[in-house]
């Protein structure tokens, strides 16, 4: 007896498979895809009485040796490409295999990129550095100049300029507060085909002020034969008259002029990380602020400035001071030219900035000329060149230092002809 509503009888189960059954009898098992290993089961009717014909899996490698099908389960190639990368394997038509890297091309492109960056950086650095040079000295204003000889002659001047220094800096560097500018040191550096020569001109050298044309007024001043200390020429009419006086009293043509003040000197030394010096004796000088012990040590900017300015604590006074100045400037140039400075942008650019901001040069001075000057000074410190004082014969009646005329003449001729210097000076 069936108490279900009409249309829910067990006879309709065949057409309502999966929607429930109105019979108390269990529903026949649902037809499931059978996976068998070994011989295939005999086919039966398509209804509930049997299993539809199924291909047989023989060994997990395919449906059988006859049809050539490979499932790929044992090889990892389920998705149709080696390594199971999915659609797009060889022959898929949608993706091509990734080519091997072309390392030669990559290396070439990298090298080209690096080269371009270096060139751009170098060109940029050149124009940056060139723009910072203070070309304030006009050597075309110097009159009655001697003929140029072989090689190049630089007049290197250390002035006592305190321009731009605060009261605290003046106190720290023991510079005092004197107005105007005077020359604290003067040197001639000769470069050419041979070894460089560095000649110090003591500030107390006795010279004759020649006729000259005022650097600002353009007015002509005839010579009166007036004799005075060499540094007075600079104080009277600046770099142009100093160059005129050096040329007139030596007969040597000056090609370039380079000047640096107190603050700039100290800043360069600090920017380069200090300069190592072997101090020959204990030095204590209240006027320069020097308080140094004998022996090898690294001087910072303040100590270096005190060292090169000291003369009252030295037996030879100004002559000994010029020797110390030569040694230090050569050591400084050597330090600037080391790989630790040149190859380190965090040291190179501050050093260049401090130096170029502090230097005053002539209008024809270029970066190449400046680099040649530093390289020559490095050669002097390395022992390839020669450093000396202008030969001195004694003192004049006014207490100034008198040059040895004969030796000076020989020295100038050797420099003019770019010959090895055989003359010596104290």
């Amino acid at each position: 007896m069936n108490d279900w509503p009409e249309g829910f009888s067990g006879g309709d189960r065949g057409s309502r498979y999966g929607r429930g059954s109105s019979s108390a009898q269990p529903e026949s098992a649902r037809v499931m895809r059978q996976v068998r290993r070994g011989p295939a089961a005999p086919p039966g009717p398509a209804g509930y009485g049997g299993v539809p014909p199924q291909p047989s899996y023989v060994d997990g490698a395919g449906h059988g040796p006859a049809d050539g099908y490979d499932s790929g389960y044992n090889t990892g190639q389920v998705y149709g490409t080696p390594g199971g990368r999915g659609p797009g394997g060889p022959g898929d038509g949608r993706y091509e295999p990734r080519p091997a890297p072309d390392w030669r091309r990559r290396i070439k492109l990298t090298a080209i990129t690096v080269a371009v960056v270096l060139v751009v950086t170098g060109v940029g650095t050149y124009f940056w550095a060139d723009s910072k040079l203070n070309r304030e000295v006009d050597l075309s204003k110097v009159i009655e100049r001697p003929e140029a000889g072989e090689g190049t002659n630089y007049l290197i001047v250390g002035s006592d300029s305190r321009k731009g220094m605060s009261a605290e800096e003046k106190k720290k560097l023991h510079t005092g507060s004197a107005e105007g500018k005077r020359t604290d040191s003067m040197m001639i550096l000769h470069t050419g085909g041979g070894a460089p020569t560095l000649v110090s001109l003591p500030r107390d050298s006795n010279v004759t002020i020649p006729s000259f044309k005022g650097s600002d007024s353009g007015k002509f001043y005839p010579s009166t034969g007036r004799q005075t200390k060499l540094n007075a020429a600079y104080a009277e009419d600046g770099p142009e008259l100093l160059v005129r006086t050096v040329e007139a009293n030596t007969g040597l043509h000056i090609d370039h002029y380079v000047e640096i003040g107190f603050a700039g000197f100290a800043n360069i030394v600090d920017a380069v990380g200090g300069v190592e010096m072997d101090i020959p004796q204990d030095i204590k000088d209240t006027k320069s602020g020097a308080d140094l012990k004998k022996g090898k040590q690294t001087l910072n900017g303040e100590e270096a400035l005190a060292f090169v300015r000291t003369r009252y604590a030295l037996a030879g006074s100004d002559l000994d001071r010029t020797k110390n100045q030569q040694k230090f400037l050569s050591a400084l140039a050597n330090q600037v030219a080391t790989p630790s400075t040149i190859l380190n942008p965090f040291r190179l650019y501050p050093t260049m900035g401090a130096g170029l901001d502090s230097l005053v040069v002539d209008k024809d001075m270029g970066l190449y000329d400046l680099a040649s000057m530093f390289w020559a000074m490095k050669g002097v410190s390395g022992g390839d060149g020669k450093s000396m004082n202008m030969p001195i014969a004694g003192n004049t009646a006014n207490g100034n230092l008198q040059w040895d005329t004969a030796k000076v003449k020989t020295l100038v001729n050797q420099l003019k002809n770019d010959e090895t210097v055989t003359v010596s000076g104290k």
Side-chain angles (χ1 to χ4, degrees):
M1 182 176 179
N2 187 352
D3 296 330
W4 290 95
E6 185 178 356
F8 283 86
S9 64
D12 294 329
R13 276 193 305 240
S15 62
R16 297 178 180 271
Y17 177 74
R19 299 184 182 181
S21 171
S22 62
S23 172
Q25 297 298 321
E27 185 179 358
S28 300
R30 299 180 183 182
V31 178
M32 301 289 289
R33 178 186 176 104
Q34 300 295 317
V35 178
R36 296 185 57 187
R37 299 184 182 276
Y48 289 97
V51 178
Q54 301 288 328
S56 174
Y57 288 83
V58 178
D59 57 2
H63 285 280
D67 58 12
Y69 176 77
D70 184 357
S71 68
Y73 280 103
N74 286 347
T75 64
Q77 299 179 5
V78 178
Y79 296 101
T81 61
R85 289 182 294 177
D92 181 80
R94 287 181 291 175
Y95 301 99
E96 293 296 330
R98 179 179 296 178
D102 188 344
W103 290 108
R104 284 188 177 183
R105 184 170 180 271
R106 291 188 179 186
I107 293 173
K108 183 179 180 180
L109 289 175
T110 301
I112 292 175
T113 302
V114 171
V116 170
V117 169
L118 290 176
V119 169
V120 171
T121 302
V123 172
T125 299
Y126 176 87
F127 284 105
W128 167 78
D130 188 72
S131 68
K132 294 180 75 67
L133 278 177
N134 300 307
R135 297 182 174 93
E136 300 177 5
V137 180
D138 189 356
L139 296 184
S140 67
K141 296 180 180 180
V142 180
I143 63 173
E144 301 176 22
R145 308 191 66 186
E147 291 185 5
E150 299 293 328
T152 303
N153 298 310
Y154 299 85
L155 181 59
I156 304 172
V157 174
S159 76
D160 64 0
S161 171
R162 299 157 179 85
K163 183 179 180 181
M165 295 177 64
S166 65
E168 184 180 349
E169 289 174 324
K170 292 176 184 178
K171 182 179 180 180
K172 179 182 178 182
L173 298 177
H174 300 272
T175 64
S177 299
E179 296 297 327
K181 291 196 303 181
R182 284 156 293 278
T183 51
D184 228 40
S185 63
M186 291 161 284
M187 304 176 189
I188 295 175
L189 174 66
H190 174 81
T191 66
T197 301
L198 185 62
V199 183
S200 284
L201 309 175
R203 55 179 287 174
D204 294 338
S205 297
N206 191 69
V207 295
T208 300
I209 300 296
S211 57
F212 68 97
K213 183 183 292 185
S215 58
D216 292 328
S217 65
K219 181 180 177 181
F220 179 78
Y221 295 90
S223 175
T224 61
R226 174 168 55 98
Q227 294 187 336
T228 184
K229 294 179 180 180
L230 179 59
N231 67 338
Y234 182 95
E236 187 172 333
D237 197 49
E240 287 84 1
L241 180 54
L242 177 61
V243 171
R244 167 72 176 132
T245 302
V246 169
E247 290 186 340
N249 284 266
T250 63
L252 190 66
H253 182 90
I254 300 299
D255 298 288
H256 292 294
Y257 177 92
V258 181
E259 177 187 326
I260 187 169
F262 283 160
F265 180 84
N267 289 340
I268 293 176
V269 175
D270 286 334
V272 82
V275 176
E276 187 177 77
M277 287 292 296
D278 191 358
I279 308 298
Q281 66 182 71
D282 290 349
I283 299 177
K284 190 172 182 64
D285 185 359
T286 56
K287 291 192 174 183
S288 69
D291 188 6
L292 305 170
K293 299 298 182 182
K294 178 181 179 180
K296 188 172 291 187
Q297 55 201 283
T298 299
L299 305 182
N300 61 26
E302 179 183 348
E303 295 167 334
L305 182 60
F307 175 68
V308 298
R309 294 183 60 217
T310 295
R311 62 170 176 163
Y312 293 104
L314 306 176
S317 188
D318 199 40
L319 293 178
D320 282 349
R321 178 171 72 163
T322 56
K323 293 178 182 178
N324 287 340
Q325 291 170 346
Q326 290 174 345
K327 292 177 182 177
F328 187 85
L329 289 179
S330 296
L332 174 60
N334 186 67
Q335 178 66 28
V336 171
T338 58
S340 62
T341 299
I342 295 176
L343 300 180
N344 183 356
F346 297 103
R347 179 171 288 181
L348 175 63
Y349 285 97
T351 301
M352 292 178 64
L356 296 173
D357 279 340
S358 307
L359 294 178
V360 175
V361 300
D362 64 89
K363 293 184 180 297
D364 294 327
M365 185 74 143
L367 288 179
Y368 176 80
D369 301 307
L370 194 60
S372 297
M373 184 192 80
F374 272 98
W375 193 259
M377 292 184 69
K378 180 180 181 294
V380 172
S381 67
D384 296 332
K386 178 173 182 154
S387 60
M388 58 180 288
N389 278 323
M390 185 66 81
I392 303 297
N395 292 89
T396 60
N398 58 12
N400 298 335
L401 295 174
Q402 181 65 52
W403 293 350
D404 187 318
T405 306
K407 288 185 177 181
V408 169
K409 183 177 181 180
T410 302
L411 171 64
V412 169
N413 286 335
Q414 290 175 340
L415 294 178
K416 278 186 173 182
N417 296 321
D418 198 23
E419 299 171 351
T420 301
V421 174
T422 59
V423 179
S424 62
K426 291 183 179 181

